[in-house]
Every structure is written in structure tokens, then in C-alpha cells.
Amino acid sequence: MMPTPTQLAALDAADPLAHARARFRLPPGVIYLDGNSLGPLPAALPERLAQTVAGEWGDGLIRSWNDAGWIDLPVTLGAAIAPLVGAEPAAVVACDSVSLNLFKLASAALALRPGRRTILMEASDFPTDAYVMQGLARLAGVTLKRVPRAELVTALDADVALLLLSHAHYVTAEVHDMAAMSAAAHAVGALTLWDLSHSAGALVVQLDADGIDFAVGCGYKFLNGGPGAPAFAYLARRHWETALPALTGWMGHAAPFDFAADFAPAAGARRLLTGTPPILAMRALEAGVATFADIDIAQAEAKSRQLVALFAAGAATLPGVTVDAPPQGRHGAHVIIRHPEARRVMTALIARGVIGDMRPPDAMRFGFPALTTRFADVGTALAALQAVLDSGEWQEERFAPRGMVS
Ligand SMILES: Cc1ncc(COP(=O)(O)O)c(C=O)c1O
């Protein structure tokens, strides 16, 4: 069913998160449904960065490593991210990319489970997760086993050292029960590593309470940290003394400025750090994380789910597209609409000011971050999609595929 403007206006009027949109700078005339891929610009970010550049770097120079707290930024920023994923502050550090953090934590898991020769993951998970595990498996001489979602639990056996899963799937938006899957892994003696790229800032996550061992998450999606923002890594307290990644660097040393000959890990999650933190990017991510001040993530999750439901129901009435029905119950903040010429249709839609992304060959992905998306945006986006489909304009030469659409 197509939502009516009156219905959407009423939902916006009653939205407890409506005020959060003012925390961002969004271009006029654009409906941005891709904040799940690259979050929009936080309004406070340009000034904060300018101050970091001119004041902390320009005036403070190298003194700012101490005076402006640069040296501790991976840890202080990690502590700011921690409540968004249900972690104690010292269990999270901001650093590197999701890919690198996957490697570090998975290698630490293998070392904690000597004798076990299998890393288990879901076959359809995001490619970088598989690529990183393939490289690690080659290096460590273990087997990477990739099975469909329905076979994960039965594939857990006494040879599995690590179960790697995404909380919210990047295509289907399906959500794993983190507590249940972790318990199943622990029951056979395996450890768990979770990719929170599509959850952090969008869904309720309870790393500590759910007994998670390790997790990674993305800074540039829902956390609004800017293109290529640093990622984060979580290390459960029970592993603080023993987890040791295969990739270690001086920033993870117990005393980096002693310049000792041999590596000695810092206490806690700090040992996951490698090289010098990218301070400008860290300050940007800090501003992104600050957009969540006083936001109830449970409310955000519920709002995104409502937005997805309205959009999916409306899109299902349009000719020429099929909608991947959103999973029952909890799910990620995006939905897939399919069209055989998805790239062309999305390009035409973007030309009309509605920005989503596409995944080959036929999937258009629309994300509905709760802090920035208005219910009225659902109506505007559906009207634009209908216009693109009804007019057949996507067949025009100007919408032919060229280069890369995200
Ligand atoms: C589930 C998932 N993991 C990882 C990544 C990317 O990782 P990285 O930050 O290393 O580029 C993405 C990017 O879209 C993703 O969706």
C-alpha cells in the first residue's frame, strides 16, 4: 500500500527523533537514502576540523599529541562509541579499517584456540570479511569454511576456532541473534567475532551482555564519521590479558615511547592499535559519534524499521520492481528493491534527487537511518521512483552505466 502524505506528516509530527536531523548538513532538494553506506555531514564537523587543523596542529604543533589528547584519541573515541554497542568504555578502540580489524581479531582468536583448524563464516557475507579470512587462513594454515545461514549451527564443531558473523546482513538486512549464536559457538569451545558495520548506530547491540568475544564496526556508515573514517574494534574484558593479534605495532605497545626492542602488549583493548592514529579523521569521527548524544538506539531501530516497512509496502505497488520482503522481527535499516536494470534506474533516481545505492546485478538498496530520514522522505522517494518507472526515462542514453555507482 502506498503511504499517504497525511499519514507520513502525522508520523513526522509524532517522531521523538525528528530533532536529530538538525545535527546534520544535508543539501537542499536531496532525499538521502544512503546513510547506511556513507553517513551525511554532521553540522558541527567542519568547524571542529577547522579548529583541529588551525589550533591543534597549526598552533599546537607536536605539543598537541599531549595537550590536545591526540595520543589517547583511539581510546577516548572508542569509549564514546562503546555505549552505542553495549560495551564498557575501555573495551573499544577506534582504529584502522574494518578489514584490518577483522584480521587482527581473527588472528588473535586463532592464537587463543591452538589446535583448532577452522574459521567458520556465512557464505554470503560481505566480501572483505571473506577476503581477509582467506588471507589469514593461507597464512595460518587453517581452513575457511563458508556455509549458508541455515547451516551455521550444525557446522559448529570441535575444530572451529572462530565463528565470524555480521550482525545485520549487508544485503538481506537479516539480523542474527547475537546471544544465541555466541552461546552456540561457545558450547563447542569456539570464539565469536562480529561485524557490526550495518548495526553500530542503527540497531541495539549488547556486546558485553551477549557474551561476545570480539567485534568490529564501521565509522563512515551510521556513525557519520566521513568517507574512509576509522573503524572500531571491541575486545571483551576476559581477553584483555591474553588476546594477541598477529598484526602488532608500536601504538599497541605497553610503552611506545620507550622504543623497546621487543613488543609488549598494552593493557586491554589498546593492544589492538598498530600505527599512528589519523588525527584529522579521528576528530571527524568524533563529531559523527557526537550526533548520537542523548539518542535512544532502541528508538532509532524502531523508527528505521517503520520507515523500511512503509517504503517496502509502497514500492511493492509499483510496476516493474520486486521488493525483497523485510525480514520478520528485527532487521537492518535498509531494504532491497529489484529491477533488471537496477543501475540505470538508480542513476535516473539520483538525477531526480533521491540517492540510494545498488548492488549488481539487480539490487537497489535504500537505507533509512533514523537520525536523518523523515517519514515524508519515504513518500517523496516513492513518488520519484514511480516517476522514473512510469516515464521509462531510465532507458535513455544519459542513464547508461559508466564508471562506478557505489
Ligand atoms: C559488512 C561490511 N563489512 C566491512 C565493510 C568495509 O570494510 P572496510 O572499512 O575495511 O572498507 C563493509 C562496507 O560496506 C561492510 O558492509
Side-chain angles (χ1 to χ4, degrees), residues 4-401:
T4 67
T6 317
Q7 178 192 2
L8 296 172
L11 287 167
D12 275 324
D15 175 12
L17 298 176
H19 66 282
R21 190 175 157 88
R23 298 177 181 181
F24 297 87
R25 191 191 285 179
L26 285 151
V30 166
I31 304 292
Y32 191 57
L33 302 181
D34 211 1
N36 54 312
S37 218
L38 173 64
L41 173 64
L45 191 151
E47 199 183 315
R48 182 71 185 97
L49 260 193
Q51 192 260 332
T52 299
V53 170
E56 296 177 8
W57 178 15
D59 296 336
L61 291 165
I62 202 165
R63 292 168 292 190
S64 288
W65 281 106
N66 291 318
D67 296 349
W70 287 355
I71 197 70
D72 288 324
L73 208 41
V75 172
T76 52
L77 186 45
I81 293 168
L84 297 176
V85 291
E88 62 175 306
V92 179
V93 285
C95 58
D96 300 322
S97 61
V98 172
S99 303
L100 273 171
N101 289 331
L102 284 168
F103 180 87
K104 289 186 283 181
L105 289 167
S107 65
L110 291 181
L112 286 169
R113 290 292 179 271
R116 290 180 177 237
R117 317 297 310 160
T118 302
I119 298 172
L120 178 63
M121 65 179 288
E122 188 172 341
S124 67
D125 231 330
F126 191 79
T128 207
D129 298 52
Y131 302 162
V132 170
M133 292 308 127
Q134 283 169 342
L136 177 60
R138 273 195 306 275
L139 185 70
V142 302
T143 303
L144 174 62
K145 193 167 176 185
R146 301 164 74 185
V147 305
R149 171 171 290 238
E151 293 167 26
L152 283 165
V153 172
T154 47
L156 279 169
D157 60 30
D159 194 52
V160 176
L162 177 69
L163 173 64
L164 163 63
L165 292 174
S166 283
H167 180 221
H169 193 276
Y170 80 109
V171 178
T172 66
E174 286 170 290
V175 163
H176 278 294
D177 180 333
M178 291 182 76
M181 291 306 290
S182 291
H186 290 160
V188 297
L191 296 164
T192 59
L193 169 55
W194 290 87
D195 185 335
L196 305 178
S197 292
H198 292 275
S199 312
L203 303 180
V204 174
V205 177
Q206 307 205 61
L207 293 174
D208 287 342
D210 285 350
I212 303 313
D213 297 295
F214 315 109
V216 300
C218 186
Y220 51 80
K221 298 179 189 292
F222 293 98
L223 296 187
N224 309 309
F232 66 88
Y234 165 84
L235 184 64
R237 177 181 280 267
R238 62 187 172 283
H239 300 306
W240 283 4
E241 300 300 320
T242 49
L244 195 59
L247 179 60
T248 47
W250 73 309
M251 285 295 150
H253 194 281
F257 295 97
D258 283 358
F259 302 100
D262 295 316
F263 184 76
R270 193 167 199 142
R271 66 183 51 199
L272 301 177
L273 304 183
T274 52
T276 306
I279 296 303
L280 302 184
M282 291 259 165
R283 283 283 187 241
L285 177 57
E286 199 173 43
V289 172
T291 61
F292 284 89
D294 307 320
I295 297 295
D296 177 351
I297 296 289
Q299 264 179 1
E301 178 178 333
K303 178 182 171 185
S304 288
R305 199 158 57 234
Q306 205 177 359
L307 289 161
V308 165
L310 289 161
F311 185 78
T317 68
L318 301 178
V321 291
T322 54
V323 179
D324 286 8
Q328 293 291 315
R330 295 186 74 192
H331 59 72
H334 62 266
V335 66
I336 299 289
I337 311 284
R338 293 186 192 272
H339 186 284
E341 294 288 347
R343 188 175 291 265
R344 277 175 170 266
V345 174
M346 182 53 81
T347 310
L349 197 58
I350 290 172
R352 283 180 176 265
V354 176
I355 302 179
D357 61 24
M358 67 90 53
R359 291 289 176 266
D362 64 345
M364 290 181 279
R365 191 175 64 167
F366 296 89
F368 297 86
L371 303 197
T372 48
T373 316
R374 297 164 297 198
F375 286 92
D377 295 340
V378 169
T380 312
L382 285 169
L385 181 57
Q386 180 156 25
V388 165
L389 294 169
D390 285 352
S391 67
E393 68 195 29
W394 55 269
Q395 297 171 67
E396 294 169 17
E397 174 53 29
R398 63 192 169 119
F399 299 128

